[in-house]
Amino acid sequence: EKQEVGPKMMKWKDRGTTKNLQEVILGRCYSYVMARYPQLGDKDCLKIWESLKHAFIYKNPCNITSEDYEPLMELATHPIPCNKSLLWSKTSDLVHRYTKSNQNFLTLEDTLLGYMADRVSWCGDPSDPGINYESCPKRSECESNPNSVFWKMASKLFAEAACGVVQVMLNGSVEAGAFRSSSIFGSIEIFNLNPDKVSEVHIWLMHDIGGPQSESCSGHSIKRLKSILEDRNFKITCVDNYRPVQLLQCVHNPDHTDCRLCT
Ligand code: N1C
């Protein structure tokens, strides 16, 4: 008997949905809730998975809105202690190595929502089975794709939740400037910090060991960032190559001159 062949799935430029997405999300959810932060208590991982799935399956992956993710965000949210929020831009590897070694700080990936979604991707398609494992739209193909909308919304909520002193790790080796107003940090997070709850923003400007120091704390893009934040009534400090983080970079470059104790 002949099997009916449905309409072909769309082809996009980004990688497709992560294989075994359900198992990955459920596994990460249980490991976060039961092993890492048992004090979090009553999180329903099965419900969390269902709400993520319903945000995108069978949908056109260019038409995703924040409303699609509202149930997920609601279910996965949990308190974040004051003075612990750590934001970043273009320092993904370093910042996450740092929060692994220093429990005093939390990035979005150290919250349940970010932990589940870290380096995972997903998107839907109107034709069966409703999930596209072959390809997903890039930001250049459409802004309102499931992954972009997810990170923008999660970043907004993470910034809104911050209180006390907020830390930011930026990359001083990026040629285009350490602060870019088109980044999620520059376009979403800084505008969603609440001046009634956040008192200070501490910038750690790291440059790659052996890499160029394209920008320091007195650089142009940092000045722009400072003035945006000062206009919003935050107190700002900036430290070049914050030592506790630089020592972590030095683990991989122990002999480099930047890593010597006496110079
Ligand atoms: O655009 P960015 O950096 O400035 O975004 C980083 C900023 C951080 O402070 C996080 O709180 O926004 C949050 N965030 C993530 O936690 C995150 N994890 C993975 C934003 N984006 C995140 N991603 C993916 O990396 C996502 O696909 C997004 O588009 C990139 C942004 O990385 P970036 O340019 O270095």
Side-chain angles (χ1 to χ4, degrees), residues 194-212:
N194 182 345
D196 297 331
K197 293 197 299 178
V198 174
S199 51
E200 299 179 25
V201 178
H202 292 179
I203 302 164
W204 302 337
L205 186 53
M206 307 307 300
H207 81 270
D208 302 338
I209 299 291

Side-chain angles (χ1 to χ4, degrees), residues 86-92 108-109 118 139 151 155 158 180 183-186 189:
L86 173 51
L87 308 178
W88 53 271
S89 196
K90 292 282 177 278
T91 51
S92 180
L108 175 53
E109 283 76 6
D118 191 20
R139 248 176 87 174
W151 285 113
S155 303
F158 186 60
R180 296 163 308 123
S183 65
I184 292 184
F185 170 70
E189 290 181 326

